Each structure stands twice: as structure tokens, then as C-alpha cells.
């Protein structure tokens, strides 16, 4: 398993223990690597991440970014 992908999985698991409400939203998202100028984004189905950006973050910064996706995920799941 790729080291960056493994770190992303570990941070997902960390959220399960630290913030189960956010983990409930993050866990169903599939990881998808992108080469865009992003660090992390979501469309409500996938968690897009830039490998180079993730490599430059600490584990705390990665989980912070995952936490910040909460409102985006909730907004995407709201009925239009």
C-alpha cells in the first residue's frame, strides 16, 4: 500500500475515535488521487486528494482538513 494512501486511511480511522460524527461522513468516501492544485476536496462520494500536498502535511493537519470537509459533505447531502 502506498505510504500517502496508508496515511489517509490512518487519519480516517483516527477520526472514528476522536470525532465519530465527522467520521460517519468521511468513511463512505472513496479516496481518489488528483493532480489539481488542491489538498483535499469532496463531491460527497469521493475524497479527492493531491498526493504532493498531503505529503507536506502533518497527521494533525490532515485530520483538520478532513474535519473541514464536514460542512461541504452535509451541504451536498441536503435535498435540493
Amino acid at each position: 500500500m502506498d505510504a500517502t494512501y496508508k496515511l489517509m486511511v490512518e487519519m480516517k480511522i483516527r477520526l472514528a475515535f476522536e470525532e465519530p460524527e465527522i467520521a460517519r461522513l468521511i468513511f463512505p468516501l472513496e479516496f481518489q488521487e488528483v493532480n489539481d492544485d488542491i489538498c483535499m476536496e469532496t463531491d460527497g462520494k469521493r475524497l479527492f486528494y493531491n498526493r504532493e500536498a498531503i505529503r507536506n502535511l502533518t497527521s494533525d493537519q490532515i485530520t483538520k482538513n478532513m474535519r473541514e470537509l464536514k460542512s461541504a459533505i452535509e451541504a451536498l447531502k441536503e435535498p435540493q
Side-chain angles (χ1 to χ4, degrees), residues 57-71:
L57 299 178
T58 65
S59 57
D60 287 339
Q61 290 171 318
I62 294 169
T63 53
K64 179 181 180 279
N65 284 349
M66 288 183 176
R67 284 183 193 101
E68 290 172 355
L69 293 174
K70 179 185 180 211
S71 58

Side-chain angles (χ1 to χ4, degrees), residues 13-46:
I13 293 167
R14 178 178 167 181
L15 275 178
F17 291 101
E18 293 179 0
E19 299 188 48
E21 180 183 329
I22 295 171
R24 174 184 57 81
L25 298 170
I26 297 288
F27 258 81
L29 303 179
E30 295 178 35
F31 289 136
Q32 183 170 339
E33 183 180 352
V34 295
N35 292 320
D36 295 344
D37 292 335
I38 63 151
C39 181
M40 235 182 269
E41 289 183 4
T42 186
D43 64 358
K45 296 178 185 173
R46 294 170 295 240

Side-chain angles (χ1 to χ4, degrees), residues 2 31-35 47-52:
D2 169 79
F31 289 136
Q32 183 170 339
E33 183 180 352
V34 295
N35 292 320
L47 193 154
F48 302 104
Y49 69 97
N50 180 300
R51 176 180 308 280
E52 294 304 314

